[in-house]
Amino acid sequence: MVRRIKWAALLCLTTCLVGCLEAEPLAVDVAAEAALVMNADTGAILYEKNARQEMYPASITKIATALYTLERSGANLDAVTVAEQESVGFVTEAAKKRSNYSLPSHYLEFGATHMVIHRGEKIPLRDLLYGMMVYSADDASNVIAQHVGGSISGFMKSLNAYVNELGCDSTHFTNPHGLHHPDHKTTAYDMAILTREALKSQRFRDIVSTTHYKRPKTNKQDSMTLVQGNLLLRSGKYRYPKAFGVKTGFTSAAQNTFVAAAEYKGRTLIVVLMKTEERKQMFADAIKLFEAAFDQPLLERQLLGAGPLPYQTRVSGASRSVRAALQEPLTLRYYPAEETEVVATLEWTPMELPITVGDDIGHIVLTSPDGRELKRSPVVAHKSVRVSVVSRL
């Protein structure tokens, strides 16, 4: 039986020790119009700035395309794709504007980033994924969508359904690469959710941490080396050794967008920056946010002391109620920016008489308000309980 703790004494204690705690937001100013820092392991948010405001994502869209391709579609990465004209056709950005964006949103644009894939070119899906995530090739995104979805429009329908299933309610993508369309929008918060899901995949991590990738020769062109656009991963002023991904983006409407991931002492953080005017400032701000978060000390707070707890349960045939106790203090470790309210739930385990003092009788489970489990501690019997005399008769 699962029972939520409702005792007044415990609620008072929870309010005093947990419910009134407030996280200490990271004291960092960033140039981005919208930003967010999330703990990829727990989903806790450390920093927000207009994080729920709908914005244009540009090429960080490709995170969603890669996630769906790797984790939901069941696609074989060794499969050889054949590029169709629908995936590699070009128009000008001006033509899209003149049409009031009635032209297909996935049409490529002159001046954007491409692998220069030709119609009829045969390329393994694996190489396309590296081309999309390392080099930010828009044509690779289209060929992936065409291959995985049967058509680009079919892929987009499935992709949007998938991201909505993940809880990204403010996201709608009209193409797989991020070229501008007025209806192609997301939020910093949703991008963090998508990235957190993507980072669960080791294949995704391997791809987005790659700095150089040699795409093999195809039936249409010679091999080429693809260079990572994320300066946190490359030698130079903005090299950040703790970083291992994820994706940059740019369009004139979106300006510079960026999702970055870094790991330090077993803790993985995601930074999302949207609509930054200066590209280099975007990398500098990502480093500032990472460092501010990683510099915070890990704290520990006692929530409940050892000893009897103010709740009990009845067991059929028992001489009295079974009262719960903690053998050790219940503590919770946290970083200041991630501190949150805690909901305590008592889970009783099935019990058989007689019960001896110290017997395990359940757990107290600490969860965040959104249901994320933070800690589980055993609960024991405070006193022994015998079979009642009446029940023996």
Side-chain angles (χ1 to χ4, degrees):
M1 179 175 69
V2 177
R3 176 178 160 211
R4 223 172 248 285
I5 299 169
K6 297 181 180 179
W7 291 77
L10 183 60
L11 287 175
C12 179
L13 185 61
T14 301
T15 300
C16 294
L17 295 178
V18 182
C20 61
L21 294 180
E22 293 184 2
E24 300 176 15
L26 301 179
V28 178
D29 291 325
V30 296
E33 190 168 309
L36 182 136
V37 182
M38 176 182 284
N39 185 320
D41 305 309
T42 66
I45 296 173
L46 291 70
Y47 177 93
E48 286 190 79
K49 177 184 177 182
N50 301 324
R52 317 299 171 118
Q53 180 178 322
E54 290 186 356
M55 307 191 78
Y56 301 126
S59 281
I60 60 175
T61 300
K62 296 177 171 95
I63 294 170
T65 299
L67 167 62
Y68 182 82
T69 299
L70 289 168
E71 297 306 309
R72 175 55 73 91
S73 70
N76 175 12
L77 301 193
D78 295 320
V80 176
T81 70
V82 180
E84 299 178 2
Q85 181 61 36
E86 186 70 9
S87 299
V88 297
F90 282 81
V91 297
T92 63
E93 183 180 4
K96 286 186 177 180
K97 290 181 179 178
R98 284 197 303 271
S99 73
N100 197 26
Y101 294 95
S102 62
L103 292 173
S105 175
H106 66 267
Y107 279 5
L108 304 176
E109 296 177 11
F110 295 102
T113 305
H114 317 107
M115 289 170 59
V116 197
I117 299 172
H118 302 283
R119 183 178 63 181
E121 188 167 0
K122 298 178 181 180
I123 307 176
L125 181 59
R126 186 186 317 276
D127 295 335
L128 291 172
L129 282 165
Y130 277 92
M132 177 176 70
M133 298 306 294
V134 174
Y135 193 62
S136 199
D138 296 336
D139 48 0
S141 306
N142 275 351
V143 178
I144 289 170
Q146 161 216 310
H147 174 79
V148 173
S151 66
I152 297 175
S153 60
F155 179 86
M156 295 315 302
K157 183 177 180 180
S158 298
L159 176 61
N160 281 313
Y162 176 56
V163 300
N164 291 154
E165 285 177 20
L166 293 177
C168 301
D169 298 329
S170 299
T171 294
H172 177 75
F173 296 132
T174 63
N175 60 61
H177 40 61
L179 289 175
H180 181 67
H181 187 282
D183 296 330
H184 187 97
K185 295 181 180 180
T186 187
T187 66
Y189 174 77
D190 281 5
M191 286 308 308
I193 295 295
L194 291 171
T195 305
R196 183 188 179 205
E197 187 67 23
L199 292 181
K200 296 175 183 178
S201 165
Q202 187 58 51
R203 292 186 299 181
F204 181 89
R205 286 177 174 240
D206 291 342
I207 292 170
V208 300
S209 62
T210 299
T211 56
H212 295 78
Y213 182 77
K214 188 172 183 179
R215 194 214 64 184
K217 182 179 179 179
T218 71
N219 62 317
K220 294 283 186 176
Q221 56 182 312
D222 291 334
S223 64
M224 65 182 296
T225 299
L226 309 174
V227 180
Q228 173 66 248
N230 181 357
L231 297 187
L232 299 189
L233 306 183
R234 289 165 46 186
S235 298
K237 179 180 179 180
Y238 298 102
R239 167 77 172 136
Y240 186 61
K242 298 168 187 171
F244 63 88
V246 177
K247 189 73 191 71
T248 62
F250 175 82
T251 66
S252 56
Q255 296 188 13
N256 290 285
T257 61
F258 189 30
V259 178
E263 187 172 14
Y264 182 63
K265 292 185 177 179
R267 184 173 172 226
T268 302
L269 300 181
I270 298 166
V271 165
V272 183
L273 297 167
M274 301 187 72
K275 203 166 187 180
T276 302
E277 186 175 353
E278 297 293 335
R279 176 176 169 81
K280 291 182 178 179
Q281 185 63 51
M282 175 178 72
F283 297 115
D285 284 348
I287 293 172
K288 281 198 302 183
L289 287 167
F290 279 131
E291 285 298 277
F294 286 135
D295 282 348
Q296 287 194 322
L298 182 61
L299 307 178
E300 186 172 46
R301 176 162 295 188
Q302 179 175 307
L303 307 182
L304 294 170
L309 297 170
Y311 36 95
Q312 53 196 4
T313 189
R314 296 289 301 179
V315 176
S316 178
S319 58
R320 61 182 172 187
S321 297
V322 180
R323 189 173 184 186
L326 286 170
Q327 289 185 315
E328 298 179 351
L330 178 58
T331 62
L332 188 66
R333 304 178 77 191
Y334 65 95
Y335 292 94
E338 298 184 39
E339 203 167 16
T340 182
E341 292 185 352
V342 173
V343 177
T345 304
L346 175 58
E347 295 181 355
W348 299 102
T349 56
M351 290 173 253
E352 294 183 1
L353 298 173
I355 297 170
T356 303
V357 61
D359 284 354
D360 289 335
I361 59 173
H363 291 85
I364 284 186
V365 182
L366 301 180
T367 58
S368 62
D370 62 1
R372 177 169 42 90
E373 185 171 316
L374 305 174
K375 189 170 185 177
R376 179 180 291 264
S377 294
V379 171
V380 300
H382 177 51
K383 293 182 178 180
S384 297
V385 179
R386 302 186 304 273
V387 177
S388 71
V389 174
V390 175
S391 66
R392 294 174 183 169
L393 298 178

